[in-house]
Amino acid sequence: MTTSVERPEGYLPQSPSTLAAYLSCVADVARILGGNPEDWTIREVGDGNLNLVFIVKGPMGGVAVKQALPYVRLVGESWPLPLTRAHYEHMALSEQARLNGSLVPRVIHYDQLQALIVMELLEPHIIMRRGMIAATVYPRFAEDISSFMANTLFFTSDLALPADRKKQMIAAFAGNTALCKITEDLIFTDPYRVAELNRWTSPQLDGFARRWREDAELKIAVSRLKLKFLSSSEAMLHGDLHTGSVMLTADETRIIDPEFAFMGPMGFDVGAVIANFLINYLSHDGHEESPGARDAYRDWVLVTVEAIWTMFRSKFLDLWRSNGTGDAYPASLFADAAGAAALEAEREAYMERLWRDTIGFAAAKMIRRVLGLAHNIDLEWIKDPDVRASCEARVLTLARDLMVNTRHYPEIASVTAAARAIRTQKLI
Ligand code: SR1
Ligand code: MG
């Protein structure tokens, strides 16, 4: 980590007082907003860890503006971060839109120098994490996220692409190293060592944090996952696919914020979704109005996480059967009946490997949200530290077992059964 923040000449971080003048020069945006810049209202609403986000409204309509800062907003200027992440986000949004249509926000304007993207205003959509903390049911989500992951991961993989196109994609995303490094450190390394930015509910979880740092079996397991993250360029990932990267209503889903996009292992994205559902499931003991009041919601969370994996698996396999035109598994090798049967068996074996990766990555993402720098409000918003620590201890214990004893979890139902079981345990 260095301490110098580089600002390219001409780059200007926007504020509510400067943004109207900037947007008035962007014809497509001015047309959507209508009226004159004096009529526009502008609010900075960013609550993520990295960027500025503005909501701009005019007499005719509104837009959302996201601008990268040259440092990590959560930490400050002591942690510089390249503005180029906006370029990778823009590239990923374009590719995701091509493959998924309206499941991602429409980009209206992109300014590379200002590291700024103007997108359609998502209203009345809210951040999914906030909705889930308030026990809101989202009946479309499993359908939409499973399609998003199956389409994006399949069509950017060697199962669908010719080798030269796949290598071009690897090259196009290879420069997003600073964002990958955040993941490499904050997810796969820091929670397992003494690190300045780590934090946890203390003193309640001090013993857990120490045991996690001393657990050689766990550290080997997470390092295997890190090696996979570092070296396996399977498909274009969103790279940060948690419930804070989803905006939705009961009827519409939008996947936002792919600034961590790169060509990596598919299980990392699928695992992120599963991890955040499991964390949410285990957090409601700290939110419910009286014991058991949220039992029905907890059931919805687990039924939905089962549906997400099951639907993803089935959609991915269907895409492979109908669109397997990539250079992996050349069709000419499997044209006869024996070949076709062997290929179908191999598809099942591939999904088993992907499943094992998925729960390993899910576990890593659960542990980092309890022992690392960046936590989830599902747990952070539990006011009583003893209750919060009790929920967090369950997250840690479930995650450790998923990561170390992956073979005990051959399908999603065994994961949800373990989540139900761990909830009954008093661990601290
Ligand atoms: C310093 S950034 C911390 C986290 O915020 C993002 O949402 C990613 O999850 C990242 O790991
Ligand atoms: Mg984000």
Side-chain angles (χ1 to χ4, degrees):
M1 206 182 293
T2 68
T3 49
S4 70
V5 169
E6 275 188 38
R7 287 184 175 80
E9 208 180 316
Y11 166 81
L12 186 75
Q14 296 291 334
S15 71
S17 58
T18 60
L19 189 56
Y22 173 86
L23 294 176
S24 67
C25 301
V26 182
D28 287 343
V29 175
R31 196 174 316 115
I32 290 168
L33 296 171
N36 297 308
E38 313 80 75
D39 308 323
W40 302 345
T41 60
I42 303 180
R43 282 184 305 134
E44 206 280 314
V45 296
D47 66 353
N49 296 326
L50 302 181
N51 307 294
L52 296 170
V53 181
F54 302 91
I55 303 276
V56 186
K57 289 189 177 175
M60 305 275 287
V63 295
V65 178
K66 176 172 178 181
Q67 186 178 33
L69 287 165
Y71 53 87
V72 173
R73 182 177 183 164
L74 173 69
V75 175
E77 300 211 7
S78 62
W79 188 342
L81 199 62
L83 297 171
T84 50
R85 65 187 186 273
H87 161 73
Y88 298 106
E89 174 161 4
H90 180 244
M91 203 159 47
L93 279 171
S94 308
E95 187 67 7
Q96 290 165 347
R98 191 178 69 75
L99 296 169
N100 300 283
S102 64
L103 284 177
V104 296
R106 188 170 67 84
V107 172
I108 299 159
H109 169 73
Y110 169 56
D111 183 332
Q112 182 158 355
L113 174 62
Q114 299 303 330
L116 180 151
I117 305 175
V118 182
M119 287 165 275
E120 66 172 315
L121 181 61
L122 298 175
E123 215 173 39
H125 306 63
I126 65 164
I127 293 284
M128 184 174 201
R129 187 184 303 291
R130 290 171 180 265
M132 289 184 73
I133 293 169
T136 308
V137 163
Y138 292 107
R140 279 214 58 78
F141 183 69
E143 185 71 53
D144 288 343
I145 195 72
S146 58
S147 294
F148 175 83
M149 293 192 299
N151 286 333
T152 311
L153 297 177
F154 177 80
F155 282 113
T156 60
S157 78
D158 290 292
L159 303 174
L161 292 178
D164 56 349
R165 174 70 193 126
K166 171 77 186 317
K167 286 179 175 60
Q168 284 163 6
M169 289 196 72
I170 292 173
F173 283 98
N176 205 8
T177 53
L179 281 279
C180 287
K181 173 84 173 127
I182 287 179
T183 299
E184 290 148 19
D185 289 344
L186 295 193
I187 298 184
F188 297 111
T189 315
D190 286 355
Y192 307 89
R193 66 180 175 188
V194 174
E196 197 190 334
L197 295 173
N198 282 347
R199 59 196 184 85
W200 57 81
T201 304
S202 180
Q204 291 86 344
L205 292 184
D206 289 357
F208 274 84
R210 183 180 42 74
R211 287 198 298 282
W212 260 233
R213 290 195 302 268
E214 292 170 353
D215 189 334
E217 199 182 8
L218 184 64
K219 289 187 285 187
I220 290 291
V222 79
S223 299
R224 271 191 202 144
L225 290 161
K226 181 174 183 178
L227 177 61
K228 185 144 223 160
F229 182 85
L230 288 165
S231 60
S232 183
S233 304
E234 289 175 349
M236 187 187 79
L237 304 190
H238 177 285
D240 200 22
L241 196 50
H242 53 72
T243 48
S245 295
V246 179
M247 291 190 73
L248 76 182
T249 64
D251 310 313
E252 271 189 9
T253 308
R254 297 281 191 278
I255 315 301
I256 64 170
D257 272 2
E259 65 206 309
F260 284 77
F262 80 114
M263 298 295 282
M266 299 184 190
F268 187 77
D269 268 5
V270 188
V273 176
I274 292 176
N276 281 269
F277 267 66
L278 294 175
I279 290 172
N280 180 268
Y281 171 79
L282 292 171
S283 74
H284 286 286
D285 288 287
H287 298 296
E288 65 192 345
E289 301 67 25
S290 57
R294 294 193 176 194
D295 282 350
Y297 192 70
R298 273 188 280 264
D299 283 345
W300 178 81
V301 174
L302 293 190
V303 165
T304 302
V305 83
E306 288 176 3
I308 290 169
W309 169 258
T310 307
M311 292 163 94
F312 164 75
R313 182 183 187 286
S314 149
K315 289 175 188 182
F316 190 97
L317 281 169
D318 283 349
L319 288 174
W320 189 350
R321 291 180 192 117
S322 56
N323 293 274
T325 55
D327 277 338
Y329 304 99
S332 56
L333 299 192
F334 304 103
D336 60 1
L343 182 56
E344 187 55 23
E346 174 60 8
R347 289 188 185 110
E348 295 291 329
Y350 180 103
M351 294 314 285
E352 276 172 34
R353 293 195 292 273
L354 176 51
W355 166 248
R356 285 197 294 275
D357 291 353
T358 294
I359 53 169
F361 285 123
K365 282 170 166 273
M366 292 164 74
I367 291 171
R368 64 80 58 113
R369 294 296 185 191
V370 178
L371 298 180
L373 163 69
H375 290 207
N376 281 358
I377 55 174
D378 311 54
L379 294 165
E380 289 291 278
W381 281 4
I382 300 173
K383 288 196 187 74
D384 182 331
D386 290 333
V387 177
R388 183 168 70 243
S390 159
C391 296
E392 290 172 330
R394 291 173 184 144
V395 171
L396 288 177
T397 305
L398 175 60
R400 185 195 180 279
D401 205 53
L402 292 177
M403 200 190 291
V404 169
N405 295 316
T406 305
R407 69 192 180 287
H408 296 166
Y409 300 92
E411 14 66 18
I412 185 70
S414 50
V415 174
T416 53
R420 283 186 210 282
I422 204 85
R423 234 199 100 227
T424 65
Q425 289 184 29
K426 189 154 173 47
L427 299 170
I428 52 171

